[in-house]
Amino acid sequence: MTEEIKRRQRMSGAQRREQLIAIGRQLFAERGFDGTTVEEVAARAKVSKPVIYEHFGGKEGLYAVVVDREVRALLDRITAALTAGHPRELLEQAALALLDYIEEEPHGFQVLTARQAPVLAPAGTFSSVMNDVAHQVEHILGAEFTRRGLDPKFAELYSQALVGMVALVGQWWREARKPRKEMVAAHLVNLAWNGLSHLEARPELITRKKR
C-alpha cells in the first residue's frame, strides 16, 4: 500500500471536508460556478462523486459553503482593521484591508465577485459584505456629521457611497495591479476625505438651478 493511499485512508471526515472546500474554492475561482463540475472536484480530491454529495449535497452546497466562508473572512478582516479613532484613519484602514484581501486571497475575491451564482441568496455576495461594512461606517460618519453640525440622517447615504467607491476601485486594481496598493489607498482617501472635509450643509445641484 503506497503512502498516498495510506494518507487518504487516514483522513478524517473533517479533514476531507476541508480538502474539498479548498479544491472547490480554487475551481470556482478559476472556472466559475457553471464551469465547475462535481466530477472535477472529485477527481482532484481523488475521491468518488458520492463523497461530495455526502458532505455537501452537490455542487450548489459546496459553492454555498465556499462563498459563506469568504464572506465571513473578508468581513472579519475589514472589521478587525477598523481600530483607529479618527475618521480619516478608519477610511485608510478599510481601503487597505480590502486591497490586502484582494492581493493575498485572489481566489477568494474571484469567487465573491463572480456574477454567475444562481444558487446564492443575496446575503452570499460581495455586495452584501460591502453593505455590512457600510453599516459600520455609517455609525462612524453619523457621529462625525453630528460633531460638524451636519444632518446625521444622511450618514447612510454617504457610507454607501464611500464603501462603494473603495469596492469598485478594488475590483479594478485586482486586474491593473498598479500603482501599488498603498498609493491606491492614499488616493482613495484623498478623494473621500478632502471631499468630506468640505461638505456643504445643504448641497444643491447647479444644473437644476439653471432651469
Side-chain angles (χ1 to χ4, degrees):
M1 184 178 293
T2 66
E3 287 301 316
E4 177 63 19
I5 293 175
K6 289 180 180 179
R7 186 189 67 80
R8 294 207 303 270
Q9 289 183 341
R10 287 196 301 266
M11 192 176 290
S12 68
Q15 290 172 326
R16 177 67 69 196
R17 181 179 175 84
E18 291 301 316
Q19 179 205 31
L20 295 173
I21 291 171
I23 291 172
R25 181 179 186 260
Q26 182 173 359
L27 285 172
F28 289 133
E30 293 172 354
R31 306 189 179 185
F33 176 80
D34 292 336
T36 300
T37 65
V38 171
E39 288 82 0
E40 188 166 13
V41 175
R44 287 206 185 183
K46 295 182 172 59
V47 297
S48 61
K49 288 197 300 181
V51 174
I52 312 295
Y53 291 107
E54 177 185 348
H55 282 278
F56 306 102
K59 182 173 75 168
E60 291 82 1
L62 175 58
Y63 189 84
V65 170
V66 168
V67 171
D68 180 67
R69 284 199 175 189
E70 292 305 322
V71 166
R72 288 187 283 112
L74 177 54
L75 184 57
D76 288 348
R77 181 187 286 246
I78 294 176
T79 301
L82 300 178
T83 59
H86 193 280
R88 175 165 184 159
E89 288 182 281
L90 289 167
L91 287 172
E92 292 177 0
Q93 290 169 344
L96 277 173
L98 176 59
L99 294 173
D100 282 341
Y101 175 79
I102 293 170
E103 182 178 62
E104 296 167 12
E105 304 291 346
H107 285 157
F109 189 70
Q110 181 63 31
V111 168
L112 286 181
T113 54
R115 296 181 179 275
Q116 49 173 329
V119 300
L120 287 180
T125 62
F126 178 67
S127 62
S128 75
V129 181
M130 294 297 98
N131 195 52
D132 287 341
V133 173
H135 283 310
Q136 295 188 48
V137 174
E138 178 185 344
H139 297 301
I140 298 166
L141 287 184
E144 184 70 10
F145 276 28
T146 299
R147 188 182 71 81
R148 296 185 181 206
L150 301 171
D151 192 341
K153 75 180 182 183
F154 292 111
E156 181 179 7
L157 186 157
Y158 280 93
S159 69
Q160 292 286 343
L162 285 171
V163 172
M165 177 179 70
V166 173
L168 283 174
V169 171
Q171 288 179 279
W172 162 79
W173 185 76
R174 177 187 62 184
E175 303 297 332
R177 289 305 173 111
K178 59 183 181 181
R180 58 191 177 84
K181 65 183 176 185
E182 291 81 7
M183 186 174 291
V184 173
H187 280 282
L188 278 169
V189 174
N190 181 40
L191 173 60
W193 181 250
N194 286 325
L196 285 174
S197 63
H198 295 91
L199 285 181
E200 298 174 345
R202 300 181 186 278
E204 295 182 2
L205 298 176
I206 297 175
T207 52
R208 293 292 174 90
K209 282 184 176 181
K210 294 178 181 178
R211 295 180 182 178

